[in-house]
Amino acid sequence: MPAMPLRGAGFDMGIWLLQRSRAEAIKMKTVVRISCGILILWSLVVPSFAQRDMDCSDFRTQREAQDFYERSGPGDPHRLDRDGDGVACETLP
């Protein structure tokens, strides 16, 4: 008696699940690669996240500190504007 080919709902479902999991793995790999690319680009576009904490003593002039303060984005992540008036390192020349 010749071997019967494997058929039936259970076998077909198994192949479908195997194919689906491969497709899902490819999708997940693509999502991870895109996410990594976005994070790398974000770190280049928003340099304040990649830089060390800056203090007023790191700048020679108030204008230099102000420029950095304005490029750092919203808020005052480096605490250069102690009194919150929008002017960074007011004691520098």
Side-chain angles (χ1 to χ4, degrees), residues 4-16:
M4 296 286 293
L6 296 174
R7 295 188 191 210
F11 183 74
D12 291 340
M13 182 62 94
I15 289 176
W16 179 80

Side-chain angles (χ1 to χ4, degrees), residues 25-43:
I26 291 169
K27 284 181 188 176
M28 184 60 70
K29 194 174 185 181
T30 302
V31 167
V32 168
R33 285 182 177 169
I34 290 171
S35 299
C36 288
I38 289 171
L39 288 174
I40 290 168
L41 287 174
W42 183 259
S43 70

Side-chain angles (χ1 to χ4, degrees), residues 24-73:
E24 292 296 322
I26 291 169
K27 284 181 188 176
M28 184 60 70
K29 194 174 185 181
T30 302
V31 167
V32 168
R33 285 182 177 169
I34 290 171
S35 299
C36 288
I38 289 171
L39 288 174
I40 290 168
L41 287 174
W42 183 259
S43 70
L44 295 173
V45 171
V46 184
S48 65
F49 292 137
Q51 293 180 354
R52 64 182 178 88
D53 185 38
M54 301 291 281
D55 299 315
C56 289
S57 60
D58 295 316
F59 304 100
R60 287 176 280 168
T61 65
Q62 190 278 330
R63 182 74 247 164
E64 183 182 353
Q66 187 69 32
D67 289 342
F68 178 82
Y69 170 78
E70 291 172 3
R71 284 192 319 266
S72 293

Side-chain angles (χ1 to χ4, degrees), residues 71-89:
R71 284 192 319 266
S72 293
D76 187 12
H78 298 279
R79 298 170 310 281
L80 300 176
D81 179 17
R82 297 285 179 177
D83 58 4
D85 66 353
V87 180
C89 303

